[in-house]
Amino acid sequence: MREAAQEANGLRIAICEDDPLHAQLLVKMIAHWQKTEEGQKETVKTEIFLSAEQLLCSKEESFSFDLAFLDIGLKQMDGLELARHLRAENEQIILVFTTADALSAAKGYEVDAFRYLVKPLHLEQVEEVLSQVCQKLQKSKKDALVVMYDGKMHRIWKQDILFLEANGHYVEIHTQEKVVRVRVKLDEFENQFSGLGFCRCHRAFLCNLYYAEQIDRDTIWMTNGVQIPISRSRQREVNECMISYYLG
């Protein structure tokens, strides 16, 4: 599975429902929401799966969804077991269960379900969930970086990142606890960290000034002991970053 930063390609929704009529009804409700003021802000891609097995067999595609509507009463593998598989591979996916049995809602706590919707579904409930999901995702995008590595989606809080280093076709994201290696260009990360105290001090480094212990003309000493070079062509840029960060 290709390692990459999650792209901002709109809202990707999976519907796993073994009743095609229910699945199509949910698709229509999502389309109706897209015509609302909140929905018009989002580009939405919806895919229907008629079984848990079909969704899991899509593999690389299935683990890149932002939101999944899962029927609890799926045949063979039920919705709860499917949710466990999805959650194991993608910690960030938002899970919404649909069910005809309101008493089964308590089981959703096992997989950190976002909401339970009791059938028959109502348009107002579905639209409310979609708006809440978008708000949650927007906040997450501002505060965290979502990347794919080791075949799984992971969220890394931006405030925990010491620096990013370009290494060939990869970028190594250094936090205090670990180093995450993703196949992407450093340039793609730079805009995401604008205004957050990160400085492009070298073509190969993007540094979080919060963790800078000492800075001189050509070197930044980080709190973990790493020395990051400042290229001559970026010395003025680093000075401006420092002034902006420390003096507001």
Side-chain angles (χ1 to χ4, degrees), residues 72 97-109 115-120 125:
I72 263 292
F97 286 116
T98 61
T99 177
D101 178 15
L103 296 178
S104 64
K107 298 178 181 178
Y109 290 109
R115 284 283 296 275
Y116 256 87
L117 298 179
V118 178
K119 296 177 180 178
Q125 290 178 310

Side-chain angles (χ1 to χ4, degrees), residues 122-144:
H122 298 284
L123 177 61
E124 295 79 9
Q125 290 178 310
V126 172
E127 289 187 336
E128 180 183 18
V129 165
L130 290 168
S131 295
Q132 290 174 347
V133 165
C134 286
Q135 291 170 11
K136 180 180 175 69
L137 289 172
Q138 287 302 318
K139 186 177 187 304
S140 178
K141 287 176 182 178
K142 290 178 182 177
D143 298 337

Side-chain angles (χ1 to χ4, degrees), residues 188-217:
E188 294 182 31
F189 284 121
E190 191 169 2
N191 288 337
Q192 297 184 51
F193 290 93
S194 177
L196 298 177
F198 283 78
C199 180
R200 187 73 178 269
C201 57
H202 188 280
R203 64 181 178 80
F205 288 93
L206 186 62
C207 172
N208 187 350
L209 293 177
Y210 178 80
Y211 295 102
E213 194 168 61
Q214 180 182 335
I215 303 175
D216 64 18
R217 187 174 180 180

Side-chain angles (χ1 to χ4, degrees), residues 148-160:
M148 176 80 78
Y149 71 96
D150 290 339
K152 298 181 181 180
M153 299 294 290
H154 292 265
R155 179 176 58 188
I156 303 173
W157 295 109
K158 293 178 181 178
Q159 64 187 21
D160 293 336

Side-chain angles (χ1 to χ4, degrees), residues 195-198 209 237-248:
L196 298 177
F198 283 78
L209 293 177
E237 182 180 339
V238 171
N239 287 335
E240 291 174 353
C241 282
M242 288 171 56
I243 292 171
S244 175
Y245 180 74
Y246 289 110
L247 300 180

Side-chain angles (χ1 to χ4, degrees), residues 16-69:
C16 196
E17 167 65 70
D18 54 14
D19 184 332
L21 292 179
H22 280 147
Q24 288 298 334
L25 176 61
L26 189 48
V27 168
K28 290 180 180 179
M29 290 180 175
I30 294 170
H32 187 277
W33 171 78
Q34 283 187 266
K35 298 176 183 178
T36 66
E37 182 178 352
E38 187 73 27
Q40 288 176 354
K41 300 175 184 177
E42 298 292 334
T43 302
V44 179
K45 181 179 180 182
T46 305
E47 295 184 47
I48 295 175
F49 302 90
L50 298 179
S51 70
E53 291 76 16
Q54 184 183 12
L55 174 55
L56 291 176
C57 282
S58 67
K59 274 299 184 185
E60 189 165 341
E61 289 298 315
S62 69
F63 301 136
S64 62
F65 288 111
D66 302 299
L67 168 64
F69 287 95

